[in-house]
Amino acid sequence: MIYVIMGKSATGKDTVFRQLMKKEELGLNKIVPYTTRPQRFGETEGEDYHFVDEEEMKRLDKAGLIAEHREYNTVKGVWHYFTVDDNPDVCNNELSFMMIGTVEAFLSLRKYFGNDMVIPIYIYVNDYERLIRSINRERKQDKPNYEEVCRRYIADEQDFSSENLNAAGIDARYRYNNSDLKLCINNIVKDLLGNRDDNISQ
């Protein structure tokens, strides 16, 4: 089983991911995505992403190992994000894996691994709080790029539109604003374990 955490930029996907990975009762294994974009301040190779160049990406593609691939035409050039099928245990029904992705990635992974193997976890944050988080995060970079923040913000409105979410069959939405991380995590854990008592994360 592969759980894909999704959400617009600055919804706290990394924080939710780290918290869930700590939950021993879930027994989750980590899938680390690949990217050709530059490594950001605070990111660690092999933890946040595998940072590779386009030649390595082409080599993996030629070997038939890329399960899903997205590219974004940013103000700094084209950046590629992709998932590599490099762990044979992913198809073991007794194990559960988790990664961070997009709606597009989620659909591609379902096509590659099968619908029953890939489950969405959608994180929701109101737009004002999300924009403030994005700006504050960008301020920490050596060379802040606020134009890219704006590009991502606008692109997310299309990528994560209600139409796209509904078409992908993504119904449950877990709210994570600054004051309710614990509630968000508890709701997800209960859902993954199949014993949730309510449905307050709509």
Side-chain angles (χ1 to χ4, degrees):
M1 189 74 68
I2 302 172
Y3 296 103
V4 182
I5 296 181
M6 292 173 283
K8 297 176 181 178
S9 298
T11 51
K13 298 184 293 294
D14 292 316
T15 299
V16 171
F17 179 88
R18 287 192 293 268
Q19 291 292 319
L20 291 174
M21 290 298 297
K22 293 177 182 178
K23 299 294 183 180
E24 294 184 2
E25 63 268 35
L26 297 179
L28 294 169
N29 298 279
K30 183 177 184 178
I31 293 179
V32 180
Y34 287 64
T35 185
T36 62
R37 74 155 168 77
Q39 188 171 347
R40 291 174 182 159
F41 175 81
E43 291 181 328
T44 303
E45 160 62 31
E47 289 292 327
D48 300 286
Y49 288 95
H50 291 297
F51 297 94
V52 300
D53 57 24
E54 290 196 20
E55 287 304 312
E56 175 64 8
M57 181 187 71
K58 291 176 181 177
R59 184 191 70 78
L60 292 166
D61 188 31
K62 187 176 181 179
L65 294 175
I66 295 183
E68 64 85 20
H69 168 250
R70 292 148 284 133
E71 63 178 59
Y72 301 96
N73 188 12
T74 76
V75 295
K76 293 292 186 177
V78 177
W79 291 347
H80 299 268
Y81 294 80
F82 52 101
T83 303
V84 176
D85 184 10
D86 55 0
N87 185 344
D89 290 333
V90 167
C91 293
N92 185 337
N93 290 329
E94 297 181 0
L95 298 177
S96 294
F97 293 81
M98 180 170 284
M99 61 177 287
I100 298 173
T102 64
V103 175
E104 180 184 358
F106 165 70
L107 291 173
S108 295
L109 288 168
R110 273 196 162 181
K111 183 176 181 180
Y112 186 93
F113 289 107
N115 288 351
D116 294 338
M117 281 288 296
V118 186
I119 307 300
I121 299 175
Y122 183 74
I123 310 300
Y124 170 80
V125 173
N126 70 67
D127 287 341
Y128 172 78
E129 188 164 326
R130 187 168 64 84
L131 183 57
I132 295 300
R133 288 183 187 178
S134 294
I135 293 172
N136 288 337
R137 182 175 67 184
E138 195 64 26
R139 288 174 58 190
K140 298 177 183 179
Q141 304 303 312
D142 292 336
K143 296 180 180 179
N145 187 343
Y146 298 108
E147 185 177 354
E148 177 60 18
V149 169
C150 293
R151 185 204 66 79
R152 289 199 305 266
Y153 188 88
I154 294 171
D156 279 342
E157 294 305 303
Q158 174 62 41
D159 295 342
F160 293 95
S161 67
S162 295
E163 292 79 11
N164 284 350
L165 293 176
N166 292 337
I170 300 171
D171 300 319
R173 304 181 186 188
Y174 300 92
R175 188 181 303 275
Y176 168 31
N177 293 324
N178 285 337
S179 61
D180 56 9
L181 174 60
K182 184 176 180 180
L183 178 61
C184 176
I185 296 299
N186 287 343
N187 285 340
I188 296 173
V189 170
K190 287 180 179 180
D191 277 353
L192 298 193
L193 293 176
N195 61 356
R196 184 167 168 178
D197 299 325
D198 54 36
N199 195 28
I200 60 177
S201 64
Q202 295 297 312

CSV table of all heavy atoms in Angstrom, one decimal, residues 112-141:
chain,number,residue,atom,x,y,z
A,112,TYR,N,0.3,3.1,-12.6
A,112,TYR,CA,1.5,2.3,-12.6
A,112,TYR,C,1.4,1.1,-11.7
A,112,TYR,O,1.7,0.0,-12.1
A,112,TYR,CB,2.7,3.2,-12.2
A,112,TYR,CG,4.0,2.5,-12.3
A,112,TYR,CD1,4.8,2.6,-13.5
A,112,TYR,CD2,4.6,1.7,-11.3
A,112,TYR,CE1,6.0,2.0,-13.6
A,112,TYR,CE2,5.8,1.1,-11.4
A,112,TYR,CZ,6.5,1.2,-12.6
A,112,TYR,OH,7.8,0.6,-12.7
A,113,PHE,N,0.9,1.3,-10.4
A,113,PHE,CA,0.9,0.3,-9.4
A,113,PHE,C,-0.5,-0.4,-9.3
A,113,PHE,O,-0.6,-1.5,-8.7
A,113,PHE,CB,1.3,0.8,-8.0
A,113,PHE,CG,2.8,1.1,-8.0
A,113,PHE,CD1,3.2,2.5,-7.9
A,113,PHE,CD2,3.7,0.1,-7.9
A,113,PHE,CE1,4.5,2.8,-7.8
A,113,PHE,CE2,5.1,0.4,-7.8
A,113,PHE,CZ,5.5,1.8,-7.8
A,114,GLY,N,-1.6,0.3,-9.7
A,114,GLY,CA,-2.9,-0.2,-9.5
A,114,GLY,C,-3.7,0.6,-8.5
A,114,GLY,O,-3.2,1.1,-7.5
A,115,ASN,N,-5.0,0.8,-8.8
A,115,ASN,CA,-5.9,1.6,-7.9
A,115,ASN,C,-5.9,1.2,-6.5
A,115,ASN,O,-5.9,2.1,-5.6
A,115,ASN,CB,-7.3,1.6,-8.5
A,115,ASN,CG,-7.5,2.4,-9.8
A,115,ASN,OD1,-6.5,3.1,-10.2
A,115,ASN,ND2,-8.6,2.3,-10.4
A,116,ASP,N,-5.9,-0.1,-6.2
A,116,ASP,CA,-6.0,-0.5,-4.8
A,116,ASP,C,-4.7,-0.3,-4.0
A,116,ASP,O,-4.7,-0.4,-2.8
A,116,ASP,CB,-6.4,-2.0,-4.8
A,116,ASP,CG,-7.8,-2.3,-5.3
A,116,ASP,OD1,-8.6,-1.3,-5.3
A,116,ASP,OD2,-8.1,-3.4,-5.8
A,117,MET,N,-3.6,0.0,-4.7
A,117,MET,CA,-2.3,0.1,-4.1
A,117,MET,C,-2.0,1.5,-3.6
A,117,MET,O,-1.1,1.7,-2.8
A,117,MET,CB,-1.2,-0.4,-5.0
A,117,MET,CG,-1.1,-1.9,-5.1
A,117,MET,SD,-0.4,-2.6,-3.6
A,117,MET,CE,1.3,-1.9,-3.7
A,118,VAL,N,-2.7,2.5,-4.2
A,118,VAL,CA,-2.3,3.9,-3.9
A,118,VAL,C,-3.5,4.6,-3.3
A,118,VAL,O,-4.6,4.7,-3.9
A,118,VAL,CB,-1.9,4.6,-5.2
A,118,VAL,CG1,-1.3,6.0,-4.9
A,118,VAL,CG2,-0.8,3.7,-5.9
A,119,ILE,N,-3.3,5.2,-2.1
A,119,ILE,CA,-4.4,5.9,-1.3
A,119,ILE,C,-4.0,7.3,-1.1
A,119,ILE,O,-2.9,7.6,-0.7
A,119,ILE,CB,-4.6,5.2,0.0
A,119,ILE,CG1,-4.8,3.7,-0.2
A,119,ILE,CG2,-5.8,5.8,0.8
A,119,ILE,CD1,-6.0,3.3,-1.0
A,120,PRO,N,-5.0,8.3,-1.3
A,120,PRO,CA,-4.7,9.7,-1.1
A,120,PRO,C,-4.9,10.2,0.3
A,120,PRO,O,-5.8,9.7,1.0
A,120,PRO,CB,-5.7,10.4,-2.1
A,120,PRO,CG,-6.9,9.5,-2.0
A,120,PRO,CD,-6.3,8.1,-1.9
A,121,ILE,N,-4.0,11.1,0.7
A,121,ILE,CA,-4.2,11.9,2.0
A,121,ILE,C,-4.1,13.3,1.6
A,121,ILE,O,-3.0,13.8,1.4
A,121,ILE,CB,-3.2,11.5,3.0
A,121,ILE,CG1,-3.3,10.0,3.4
A,121,ILE,CG2,-3.4,12.3,4.3
A,121,ILE,CD1,-2.2,9.5,4.3
A,122,TYR,N,-5.2,14.1,1.6
A,122,TYR,CA,-5.2,15.4,1.2
A,122,TYR,C,-5.3,16.4,2.3
A,122,TYR,O,-6.1,16.3,3.2
A,122,TYR,CB,-6.4,15.7,0.2
A,122,TYR,CG,-6.4,17.1,-0.3
A,122,TYR,CD1,-5.5,17.5,-1.3
A,122,TYR,CD2,-7.3,18.1,0.2
A,122,TYR,CE1,-5.5,18.8,-1.8
A,122,TYR,CE2,-7.3,19.4,-0.3
A,122,TYR,CZ,-6.4,19.7,-1.3
A,122,TYR,OH,-6.4,21.0,-1.8
A,123,ILE,N,-4.3,17.3,2.4
A,123,ILE,CA,-4.1,18.3,3.5
A,123,ILE,C,-4.7,19.6,3.0
A,123,ILE,O,-4.3,20.1,2.0
A,123,ILE,CB,-2.7,18.4,4.0
A,123,ILE,CG1,-2.0,17.0,4.2
A,123,ILE,CG2,-2.6,19.3,5.2
A,123,ILE,CD1,-2.7,16.2,5.3
A,124,TYR,N,-5.5,20.2,3.9
A,124,TYR,CA,-6.1,21.5,3.5
A,124,TYR,C,-5.7,22.6,4.5
A,124,TYR,O,-5.7,22.4,5.7
A,124,TYR,CB,-7.6,21.4,3.5
A,124,TYR,CG,-8.3,22.8,3.4
A,124,TYR,CD1,-8.4,23.4,2.1
A,124,TYR,CD2,-8.8,23.4,4.5
A,124,TYR,CE1,-9.0,24.6,2.0
A,124,TYR,CE2,-9.4,24.6,4.4
A,124,TYR,CZ,-9.5,25.3,3.2
A,124,TYR,OH,-10.1,26.5,3.0
A,125,VAL,N,-5.3,23.8,4.0
A,125,VAL,CA,-5.0,25.0,4.8
A,125,VAL,C,-5.7,26.2,4.1
A,125,VAL,O,-5.6,26.2,2.8
A,125,VAL,CB,-3.5,25.2,4.9
A,125,VAL,CG1,-3.2,26.5,5.6
A,125,VAL,CG2,-2.8,24.1,5.7
A,126,ASN,N,-6.2,27.1,4.8
A,126,ASN,CA,-6.8,28.3,4.2
A,126,ASN,C,-5.8,29.1,3.4
A,126,ASN,O,-4.6,29.1,3.8
A,126,ASN,CB,-7.6,29.1,5.2
A,126,ASN,CG,-6.7,29.9,6.1
A,126,ASN,OD1,-6.0,30.8,5.7
A,126,ASN,ND2,-6.8,29.5,7.4
A,127,ASP,N,-6.2,29.7,2.4
A,127,ASP,CA,-5.3,30.4,1.4
A,127,ASP,C,-4.4,31.5,2.1
A,127,ASP,O,-3.2,31.6,1.8
A,127,ASP,CB,-6.0,31.0,0.3
A,127,ASP,CG,-6.5,29.9,-0.7
A,127,ASP,OD1,-6.0,28.8,-0.7
A,127,ASP,OD2,-7.5,30.2,-1.5
A,128,TYR,N,-5.0,32.3,3.0
A,128,TYR,CA,-4.2,33.3,3.7
A,128,TYR,C,-3.1,32.7,4.4
A,128,TYR,O,-1.9,33.2,4.3
A,128,TYR,CB,-5.1,34.1,4.6
A,128,TYR,CG,-4.4,35.1,5.4
A,128,TYR,CD1,-3.9,36.3,4.9
A,128,TYR,CD2,-4.1,34.8,6.8
A,128,TYR,CE1,-3.2,37.2,5.7
A,128,TYR,CE2,-3.3,35.7,7.6
A,128,TYR,CZ,-2.9,36.9,7.0
A,128,TYR,OH,-2.2,37.8,7.8
A,129,GLU,N,-3.3,31.7,5.3
A,129,GLU,CA,-2.3,31.1,6.1
A,129,GLU,C,-1.2,30.5,5.2
A,129,GLU,O,0.0,30.5,5.5
A,129,GLU,CB,-2.9,30.1,7.1
A,129,GLU,CG,-1.9,29.6,8.1
A,129,GLU,CD,-2.6,28.9,9.2
A,129,GLU,OE1,-3.7,29.4,9.6
A,129,GLU,OE2,-2.0,27.9,9.8
A,130,ARG,N,-1.7,29.9,4.2
A,130,ARG,CA,-0.8,29.2,3.3
A,130,ARG,C,0.2,30.2,2.6
A,130,ARG,O,1.4,29.9,2.5
A,130,ARG,CB,-1.6,28.4,2.2
A,130,ARG,CG,-0.8,27.5,1.3
A,130,ARG,CD,-1.7,26.6,0.5
A,130,ARG,NE,-2.6,27.4,-0.4
A,130,ARG,CZ,-2.2,27.7,-1.6
A,130,ARG,NH1,-1.0,27.5,-2.1
A,130,ARG,NH2,-3.0,28.4,-2.4
A,131,LEU,N,-0.3,31.3,2.2
A,131,LEU,CA,0.5,32.3,1.5
A,131,LEU,C,1.5,32.9,2.5
A,131,LEU,O,2.7,33.1,2.1
A,131,LEU,CB,-0.3,33.5,0.9
A,131,LEU,CG,0.4,34.6,0.2
A,131,LEU,CD1,1.2,34.0,-1.0
A,131,LEU,CD2,-0.6,35.6,-0.3
A,132,ILE,N,1.1,33.2,3.7
A,132,ILE,CA,2.1,33.7,4.7
A,132,ILE,C,3.2,32.6,5.0
A,132,ILE,O,4.4,33.0,5.1
A,132,ILE,CB,1.3,34.0,6.0
A,132,ILE,CG1,0.3,35.1,5.8
A,132,ILE,CG2,2.3,34.3,7.2
A,132,ILE,CD1,0.9,36.4,5.4
A,133,ARG,N,2.8,31.4,5.1
A,133,ARG,CA,3.8,30.3,5.3
A,133,ARG,C,4.8,30.3,4.1
A,133,ARG,O,6.0,30.2,4.3
A,133,ARG,CB,3.1,29.0,5.4
A,133,ARG,CG,2.4,28.7,6.7
A,133,ARG,CD,1.8,27.3,6.6
A,133,ARG,NE,0.9,27.0,7.7
A,133,ARG,CZ,0.3,25.8,7.9
A,133,ARG,NH1,0.5,24.8,7.0
A,133,ARG,NH2,-0.5,25.6,8.9
A,134,SER,N,4.3,30.4,2.9
A,134,SER,CA,5.2,30.4,1.7
A,134,SER,C,6.2,31.5,1.7
A,134,SER,O,7.4,31.3,1.4
A,134,SER,CB,4.3,30.5,0.4
A,134,SER,OG,3.5,29.4,0.3
A,135,ILE,N,5.7,32.7,2.0
A,135,ILE,CA,6.6,33.9,2.1
A,135,ILE,C,7.7,33.7,3.2
A,135,ILE,O,8.8,34.0,2.9
A,135,ILE,CB,5.8,35.2,2.3
A,135,ILE,CG1,4.9,35.4,1.1
A,135,ILE,CG2,6.7,36.4,2.6
A,135,ILE,CD1,3.9,36.6,1.3
A,136,ASN,N,7.2,33.3,4.4
A,136,ASN,CA,8.2,33.1,5.5
A,136,ASN,C,9.2,32.0,5.1
A,136,ASN,O,10.4,32.2,5.5
A,136,ASN,CB,7.4,32.8,6.7
A,136,ASN,CG,6.7,33.9,7.3
A,136,ASN,OD1,7.0,35.1,7.0
A,136,ASN,ND2,5.6,33.7,8.1
A,137,ARG,N,8.8,31.0,4.5
A,137,ARG,CA,9.7,29.9,4.1
A,137,ARG,C,10.7,30.4,3.0
A,137,ARG,O,11.9,30.1,3.1
A,137,ARG,CB,9.0,28.7,3.5
A,137,ARG,CG,9.9,27.6,3.1
A,137,ARG,CD,9.0,26.4,2.7
A,137,ARG,NE,8.3,26.6,1.4
A,137,ARG,CZ,7.5,25.7,0.9
A,137,ARG,NH1,7.2,24.6,1.5
A,137,ARG,NH2,6.9,26.0,-0.2
A,138,GLU,N,10.3,31.2,2.1
A,138,GLU,CA,11.1,31.8,1.0
A,138,GLU,C,12.2,32.7,1.6
A,138,GLU,O,13.3,32.8,1.1
A,138,GLU,CB,10.3,32.4,-0.1
A,138,GLU,CG,11.1,32.7,-1.3
A,138,GLU,CD,11.5,31.4,-2.0
A,138,GLU,OE1,10.9,30.3,-1.8
A,138,GLU,OE2,12.6,31.4,-2.8
A,139,ARG,N,11.8,33.5,2.6
A,139,ARG,CA,12.7,34.4,3.3
A,139,ARG,C,14.0,33.8,3.8
A,139,ARG,O,15.0,34.4,3.9
A,139,ARG,CB,12.0,35.2,4.4
A,139,ARG,CG,10.9,36.1,4.0
A,139,ARG,CD,10.2,36.7,5.2
A,139,ARG,NE,11.1,37.3,6.1
A,139,ARG,CZ,10.8,37.7,7.4
A,139,ARG,NH1,9.6,37.5,7.8
A,139,ARG,NH2,11.7,38.3,8.1
A,140,LYS,N,13.9,32.5,4.1
A,140,LYS,CA,15.0,31.8,4.7
A,140,LYS,C,16.0,31.3,3.6
A,140,LYS,O,17.1,30.8,4.0
A,140,LYS,CB,14.5,30.5,5.5
A,140,LYS,CG,13.6,30.9,6.6
A,140,LYS,CD,13.1,29.7,7.3
A,140,LYS,CE,12.1,30.0,8.5
A,140,LYS,NZ,11.6,28.8,9.1
A,141,GLN,N,15.7,31.4,2.4
A,141,GLN,CA,16.6,31.0,1.3
A,141,GLN,C,17.7,32.0,1.1
A,141,GLN,O,17.6,33.2,1.5
A,141,GLN,CB,15.8,30.8,0.0
A,141,GLN,CG,14.6,29.8,0.1
A,141,GLN,CD,15.1,28.5,0.5
A,141,GLN,OE1,16.0,27.9,0.0
A,141,GLN,NE2,14.3,27.9,1.5
